């Protein structure tokens, strides 16, 4: 209760203090420092108007500087020093120590998987949901239900999915959906169709779609240029296509242990994907909302014209709609990429980085607050910053371009 | 448009069907947790939650009343008789078949009479009523009956009572709930005020360096807050704030500001220039223009950011763990409490599910009530 009063007081002081600061500083400027009267009235008004913007932005700039800009510099500095030697400068020793740790490379490898799979899957599902719900009567209702996980915390979602992945001994009733479904398979023809053929076909479909999109980019380079950005896109798509193909092959070759309840979260290789499912479940709604707005923004004439010319629904989607929303897809992709880079709660709550599920953000937390190794912790934070910086530069570049 | 693209009705059916499947798939996980939070521990470990929505058929072992107990045994027409209900009282369960031996649990249909040793008989009805008779006085324990019973769905509010109102502090979410609220509200309101002023200046006041400031804000938008943990914790410890509410409020304010400034500025730039210039001509100061014109007009953007910041601070774990929660654990928030429950009570799904749902409920309410503003904010915040 005491904390609640303190909270109320803080709201009052914080909000009141801010308003008071803005009011008083403006008054001071107009009435005391440069009063708009007397001989110098004109000059005073001009001067006051030069200072005023800074009064408005000052509190925000101080807060931004102290809470975001300064920490970047400070973390960089900590990554070069050793706390145990009285903050002595040690050069790249922390980085050296970090890259010699297998756990770091495990985190890097997992992070790269997360970085490719989660944005790709969320965007693909989001696009699918947006396109499907676009023209049906109850579409907005369906959308708000798919969008709902956005409001659920990562921790809450972790609990939700832990129940799904839950395992009980074979002689007890399975309360996790995953195992309940798994135990329905016994290795017969049905299992072969559903667990081998179906996933393989889905993977082949995925490979076909990505390869087709990459081919579209290739044609676009020949027609319109822009080889660099499109080249990167083609590279990413080619990697995803290869991943799909290898997964399709894996669907036939992998060994299934039928009839045994699996502890899903301890299966190396699978468990990372199961953690990714949580984030995909959350982020699909986001992708859907943004992409659905973009789909609505496509001029109707272009679609009508293509239908008149005899395009089928798939051609309309891939040849007419996709190119027109490609900018939005990039934005969605990068936004989800940022979320993925910072993903911490899900791994922390579900496996805490055990069983080969470590990611960078959790690795950093481990170093900082469990091992108390600020040097290596800061070094891994700098790695996250490094991974974010291309997006940072791209965003700033775009914002500057828009302003001018 | 619809009649052209949707002319193939089979395709339209396929679309409806896929959307239904997609929605169900996306709802399924949450519904599972919600349903589980209304079941008792025994129910949860006895069957999957998806079975609880339908009447379940279970094999149960029941026992009649002990004949030695006072007043249980009556003599009706020269026959010693024990009557009663196997479930205690006629409840909602229905027996379909039953037996008197564990090797033949489906030997008798309801209403049939089973012959036991020494001329005893027992008759069991569908609702559990039984009549156990014997020519000589019955002794010992009650007769065992193995029955296959259909039980309708049954739910309880007990978990919520337990988690919200129990005195046991390790499972209690009540304290964590209020702590979360205490963190969230100031951390939502204060950045709005600071950001609104800055956004106004960046949108409508002309000064050298404005473009660079905007670029800086856009850049800081994506800086991972992981970088801020150590330097800021050091700073807070150094200047005496330490770990506590003040620290977490300040941290959330700082981390929320870039998005707040960015969203509000983008919105304010789009406001009609005429209004602002007319007000200037009429002699209004910038402060008056801001409070009397810009703030009321910017309500949708303010609401959008408020929802973002509310959801983010309510759902946050990392910032609270680093800046708020100290060794005493007095200031724990709900997300942290749930993570701890996952560790200590990993198998007690009735507590976990309920605790998680208590923490999810408020954001979900906000989400459904103010979805319009959330969507608008998302569109303004990410689509350029």
């Amino acid at each position: 209760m005491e904390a609640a009063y303190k909270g109320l007081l803080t709201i009052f002081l914080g909000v009141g203090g801010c308003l008071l600061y803005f009011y008083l500083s403006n008054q001071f400027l107009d009435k005391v420092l440069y009063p708009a009267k007397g001989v110098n009235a004109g000059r005073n008004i001009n001067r006051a108007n030069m200072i005023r913007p800074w009064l408005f932005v000052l509190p925000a700039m101080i807060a931004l500087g102290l809470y975001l800009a300064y920490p970047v510099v400070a973390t960089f500095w900590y990554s070069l020093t050793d706390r145990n030697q009285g903050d002595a400068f040690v050069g790249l020793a922390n980085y050296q120590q970090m890259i010699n740790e297998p756990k770091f490379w495990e985190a890097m490898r997992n992070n790269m998987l997360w970085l490719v799979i989660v944005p790709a899957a969320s965007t693909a599902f989001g696009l699918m949901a947006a396109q499907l719900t676009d023209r049906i009567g109850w579409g907005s209702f369906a959308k708000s239900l798919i969008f709902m996980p956005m409001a659920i915390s990562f921790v809450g979602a972790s609990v939700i999915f832990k129940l799904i992945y839950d395992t009980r001994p074979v002689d007890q009733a399975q309360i996790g959906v995953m195992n309940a479904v798994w135990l329905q398979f016994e290795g017969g023809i049905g299992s072969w169709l559903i667990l081998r053929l179906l996933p393989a076909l889905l993977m082949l479909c995925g490979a076909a779609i990505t390869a087709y999109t990459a081919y579209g980019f290739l044609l676009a380079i020949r027609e319109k240029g822009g080889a660099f950005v499109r080249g990167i896109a083609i590279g990413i798509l080619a990697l995803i296509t290869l991943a799909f193909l290898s997964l399709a092959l894996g669907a036939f070759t992998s060994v299934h242990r039928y009839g045994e309840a699996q502890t899903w979260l301890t299966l190396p290789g699978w468990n990372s994907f199961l953690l990714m499912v949580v984030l995909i479940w959350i982020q699909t709604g986001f992708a859907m909302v943004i992409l659905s707005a973009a789909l609505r923004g496509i001029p109707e004439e272009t679609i009508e014209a293509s239908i008149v010319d005899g395009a089928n629904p798939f051609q309309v989607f891939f040849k007419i709609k996709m190119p027109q929303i490609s900018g939005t897809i990039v934005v969605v992709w990068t936004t989800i990429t940022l979320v993925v880079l910072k993903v911490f709660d899900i791994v922390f709550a579900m496996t805490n980085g055990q069983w080969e599920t470590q990611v960078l953000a959790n690795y950093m937390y481990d170093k900082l607050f469990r091992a108390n190794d600020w040097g290596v912790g800061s070094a891994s934070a700098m790695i996250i910053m490094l991974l974010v910086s291309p997006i940072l530069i791209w965003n700033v570049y775009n914002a500057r371009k828009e302003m001018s | 448009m619809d009649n052209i693209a949707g002319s193939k009705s089979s395709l339209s059916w396929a679309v409806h069907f896929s959307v239904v499947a997609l929605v169900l798939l996306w709802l399924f996980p949450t519904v599972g947790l919600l349903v589980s939070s209304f079941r008792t521990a025994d129910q949860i470990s006895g069957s999957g939650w998806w079975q609880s929505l339908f009447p379940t058929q279970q094999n149960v072992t029941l026992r009649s009343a002990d004949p030695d107990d006072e007043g249980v045994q009556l003599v009706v027409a020269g026959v010693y008789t024990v009557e009663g209900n196997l479930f205690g009282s006629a409840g909602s369960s229905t027996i379909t078949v039953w037996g008197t031996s564990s090797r033949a649990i489906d030997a008798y249909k309801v209403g049939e009479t089973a012959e036991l040793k020494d001329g005893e008989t027992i008759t069991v009805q569908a609702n559990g009523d039984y009549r156990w008779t014997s020519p000589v006085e019955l002794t010992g324990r009650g007769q065992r009956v193995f029955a296959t019973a259909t039980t309708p769905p049954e739910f309880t509010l007990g978990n919520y009572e337990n988690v919200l109102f129990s005195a046991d502090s390790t499972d209690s979410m009540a304290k964590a709930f209020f702590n979360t609220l205490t963190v969230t509200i100031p951390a939502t309101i204060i950045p709005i005020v600071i950001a609104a002023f800055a956004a106004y200046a960046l949108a409508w006041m002309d000064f050298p360096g404005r473009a660079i400031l905007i670029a800086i804000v856009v850049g800081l938008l994506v800086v991972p807050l992981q970088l801020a943990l150590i330097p800021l914790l050091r700073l807070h410890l150094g200047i005496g704030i330490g770990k506590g509410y003040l620290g977490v409020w300040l941290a959330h304010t700082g981390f929320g500001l870039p998005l707040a400034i960015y969203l509000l500025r983008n919105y304010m730039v789009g406001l009609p220039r005429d209004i602002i210039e007319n007000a200037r001509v009429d002699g209004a100061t910038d402060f008056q223009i801001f409070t009397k014109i810009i703030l009321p007009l910017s309500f949708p953007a303010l609401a959008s950011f408020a929802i973002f910041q509310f959801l983010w601070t309510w759902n946050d774990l990392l910032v609270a763990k680093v800046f708020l929660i100290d060794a005493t654990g007095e200031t724990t928030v709900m997300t942290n409490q749930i993570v701890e429950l996952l560790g200590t009570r990993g198998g007690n799904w009735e507590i976990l599910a309920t605790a998680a749902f208590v923490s999810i409920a408020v954001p979900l309410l906000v989400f459904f009530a103010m979805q319009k503003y959330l969507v608008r904010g998302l569109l303004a915040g990410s689509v350029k």
Side-chain angles (χ1 to χ4, degrees):
Chain A
M1 271 299 95
E2 197 192 329
Y5 292 129
K6 210 171 133 197
L8 283 176
L9 189 71
T10 309
I11 295 177
F12 184 73
L13 285 181
V15 175
C18 284
L19 290 176
L20 208 65
Y21 155 79
F22 287 114
Y23 181 74
L24 287 183
S25 62
N26 272 287
Q27 288 290 322
F28 177 75
L29 191 67
D30 289 332
K31 298 275 150 57
V32 183
L33 200 58
Y34 296 118
K37 55 185 180 241
V39 239
N40 295 328
R43 206 187 66 190
N44 276 358
I45 288 177
N46 282 341
R47 280 194 181 165
N49 281 342
M50 274 175 68
I51 294 182
R52 199 182 326 278
W54 296 101
L55 292 182
F56 274 70
V57 296
L58 191 69
M61 288 306 137
I62 291 176
L64 285 180
L66 196 61
Y67 276 84
L68 285 167
Y70 154 75
V72 175
V73 182
T75 302
F76 181 60
W77 176 246
Y78 291 153
S79 76
L80 301 175
T81 58
D82 188 350
R83 193 180 168 206
N84 295 330
Q85 299 172 33
D87 292 332
F89 183 80
V90 292
L92 295 176
N94 288 319
Y95 291 88
Q96 187 101 45
Q97 189 192 338
M98 183 171 72
I99 61 172
N100 285 331
E101 277 188 34
K103 209 63 183 162
F104 169 73
W105 289 108
E106 180 195 314
M108 278 299 269
R109 201 189 57 230
N110 282 331
N111 246 57
M112 290 304 140
L113 278 177
W114 280 78
L115 275 182
V116 175
I117 293 171
V118 174
S122 307
T123 314
F125 278 124
L127 192 56
M128 191 171 81
Q131 170 66 19
L132 288 175
T133 53
D134 205 23
R135 293 196 188 281
I136 60 175
W138 53 290
S140 59
F141 175 68
K143 265 191 262 186
S144 84
L145 289 180
I146 296 176
F147 190 34
M148 182 195 69
M150 274 292 280
I152 295 176
S153 60
F154 287 166
V155 174
S158 302
V159 175
I160 289 176
F161 275 83
K162 260 208 150 168
L163 179 60
I164 289 181
Y165 302 146
D166 192 80
T167 311
R168 297 276 151 140
V170 140
D171 55 328
Q172 287 177 25
Q174 294 297 331
I175 64 167
V177 181
M178 218 84 164
N179 269 316
V181 171
W182 174 250
L183 290 180
Q184 298 301 312
F185 295 110
E186 74 301 305
I189 181 77
S191 306
W192 189 84
L193 284 177
I194 295 175
L195 290 181
R196 296 201 190 274
L197 192 62
L198 186 71
L201 285 179
L202 283 177
M203 292 301 123
L204 286 178
C205 280
I209 291 173
T210 46
Y212 185 72
T213 319
Y215 175 69
F217 276 120
L218 202 66
L219 290 185
I221 288 182
R222 205 175 290 163
E223 282 166 25
K224 286 177 264 176
F228 182 65
V229 177
R230 291 205 171 91
I232 294 176
I234 291 175
I236 296 175
L237 287 169
L239 279 179
I240 299 175
T241 311
L242 280 180
F244 271 133
L245 287 176
S246 72
L247 284 174
L249 189 68
F252 286 108
T253 53
S254 63
V255 180
H256 295 319
R257 282 180 292 173
Y258 296 109
E260 288 173 39
Q262 306 288 323
T263 47
W264 299 107
L265 289 177
T266 61
L267 290 179
W270 288 102
N271 48 10
S272 280
F273 291 98
L274 295 177
L275 298 191
M276 290 177 210
V277 167
V278 183
L279 196 55
I280 294 170
W281 181 69
I282 293 174
Q283 291 295 328
T284 295
F286 163 76
M288 178 196 65
V289 165
I290 307 275
L291 291 170
S292 141
L295 284 175
R296 294 245 160 115
I298 295 176
E300 288 282 318
E301 302 85 59
T302 57
I303 300 167
E304 275 166 25
S306 68
I307 293 175
V308 170
D309 286 350
N312 66 38
F314 292 97
Q315 282 173 325
V316 171
F317 183 71
F318 283 105
K319 299 221 158 139
I320 309 295
K321 290 185 174 176
M322 279 285 270
Q324 296 195 62
I325 60 167
S326 58
T328 315
I329 292 180
V330 172
V331 170
V332 169
W333 193 292
T334 47
T335 311
I336 299 178
T337 303
L338 288 173
V339 177
V340 171
L341 276 171
K342 301 177 210 166
V343 65
F344 160 77
D345 311 29
I346 295 176
V347 178
F348 183 78
M350 288 186 86
T351 62
N352 200 5
Q354 299 173 82
W355 309 297
E356 297 178 27
T357 54
Q358 190 65 295
V359 291
L360 276 177
N362 194 53
Y363 173 80
M364 193 207 82
Y365 186 87
D366 260 357
K367 285 288 161 202
L368 287 184
F369 298 105
R370 294 227 182 82
N372 254 323
D373 190 342
W374 289 13
V376 175
S378 301
S380 52
M382 287 316 290
I383 299 286
I384 300 178
M385 185 68 209
L386 198 71
L387 291 171
V388 167
S389 43
I391 300 176
L392 189 153
I393 293 165
W394 171 255
N395 275 359
V396 172
Y397 169 77
N398 275 339
R400 302 278 299 178
K401 205 169 66 181
E402 244 169 61
M403 300 251 305
S404 52
Chain B
M1 209 26 247
D2 273 326
N3 50 2
I4 308 173
S7 57
K8 292 173 189 160
S9 66
S10 62
L11 190 68
S12 147
W13 275 111
V15 168
H16 278 282
F17 180 75
S18 332
V19 175
V20 170
L22 202 63
V23 168
L24 288 181
L25 190 66
W26 246 251
L27 274 183
F28 186 79
T30 323
V31 172
L33 194 77
L34 179 65
V35 171
S36 297
S37 73
F38 289 109
R39 305 178 76 202
T40 63
D42 290 342
Q43 285 174 323
I44 290 179
S45 55
S47 60
W49 65 265
W50 54 93
Q51 289 164 337
S52 72
L53 302 175
F54 310 101
T56 47
Q57 214 170 42
Q58 280 177 311
N59 296 327
V60 285
T61 308
L62 304 160
R63 193 180 278 279
S64 71
D66 291 343
D68 294 345
D69 288 351
E70 179 115 11
V72 167
Q73 195 161 184
L74 302 169
V75 184
V76 182
V79 179
Y80 290 90
T81 309
V82 176
E83 282 185 321
N85 189 288
L86 290 170
F87 297 110
S89 63
S92 41
S93 299
T94 316
I95 293 174
T96 46
V97 290
W98 58 281
T100 51
S101 145
S102 59
R103 273 164 297 172
I105 59 170
D106 53 356
Y108 305 101
K109 292 197 179 64
V110 288
E112 286 182 348
T113 304
E115 303 282 339
L116 305 167
K117 58 182 167 46
D118 304 332
E120 293 175 19
T121 63
I122 184 162
T123 314
V124 174
Q125 305 296 338
N127 65 358
D129 283 346
Y130 64 90
R131 185 161 180 274
W132 180 21
T133 61
S134 167
V136 293
E137 189 175 0
L138 290 161
T139 51
R141 300 195 60 194
Q143 171 66 36
R144 272 201 302 176
V145 173
F146 302 89
T148 303
T150 310
T151 317
E154 199 183 335
F155 298 105
T156 169
L157 283 170
N159 298 330
Y160 284 90
E161 238 165 73
N162 200 8
V163 160
L164 285 176
F165 307 113
S166 85
D168 178 10
S169 65
T170 52
D171 292 347
S172 170
M173 291 294 279
K175 189 178 70 183
F177 187 93
F178 283 110
N179 289 346
T180 304
L181 211 59
T182 313
V183 170
T184 307
I185 293 175
T188 305
I189 294 175
I190 294 171
I192 293 182
V193 181
I194 299 178
F197 278 95
Y200 172 71
L202 292 176
W204 286 107
M205 295 166 106
D206 208 12
F207 59 98
R210 186 175 76 154
I212 292 176
L213 284 185
I214 295 172
I216 291 175
V217 169
V218 171
L220 291 178
L221 211 51
V222 302
V223 168
L225 67 88
Q226 267 88 359
L227 272 87
L229 301 181
I230 284 297
L232 287 183
L233 187 61
R234 246 187 176 184
L235 182 81
H236 282 180
L237 295 174
I239 59 176
I241 297 177
K243 280 188 162 200
Y245 285 114
L246 188 57
V248 83
W249 289 327
L250 288 173
H252 275 311
T253 302
F255 300 150
L257 267 183
L259 183 67
I261 297 176
Y262 181 74
L263 275 182
L264 294 177
R265 183 200 161 261
N266 276 2
Y267 189 84
M268 287 177 185
V269 160
L271 293 175
R273 180 173 282 276
D274 296 352
I275 305 180
I276 293 151
E277 280 181 355
N278 284 346
R280 279 224 174 99
V281 170
D282 289 346
T285 64
D286 274 310
F287 190 77
Q288 285 167 330
I289 294 176
F290 174 73
T291 50
K292 300 244 168 74
I293 300 175
I294 299 283
L295 267 192
L297 284 180
S298 304
F299 176 77
L302 296 174
S304 295
F305 172 73
I307 297 170
F308 272 120
Q309 182 75 356
F310 175 83
L311 290 179
W312 152 244
T313 47
W314 186 280
N315 290 339
D316 158 77
L317 171 67
L318 186 58
V319 176
K321 263 188 114 62
V322 175
F323 294 106
L324 174 65
I325 300 161
D326 51 21
T328 64
E330 275 299 303
T331 49
T332 184
V333 292
M334 278 196 286
T335 44
N336 185 59
Q337 184 83 351
I338 292 170
V339 172
E340 272 172 18
L341 285 177
L342 271 175
T344 56
R345 290 191 164 264
N348 296 32
W349 279 105
E350 73 287 358
I351 291 174
L352 270 176
T354 315
F357 224 87
V358 166
S359 92
I360 292 172
V362 175
L364 280 186
L365 278 181
V366 171
F367 171 83
F368 281 115
M370 308 191 70
Q371 201 180 3
K372 189 176 76 181
Y373 294 108
L374 183 66
V375 170
R376 202 180 284 178
L378 276 181
L379 292 176
S382 55
V383 177
K384 307 212 172 71

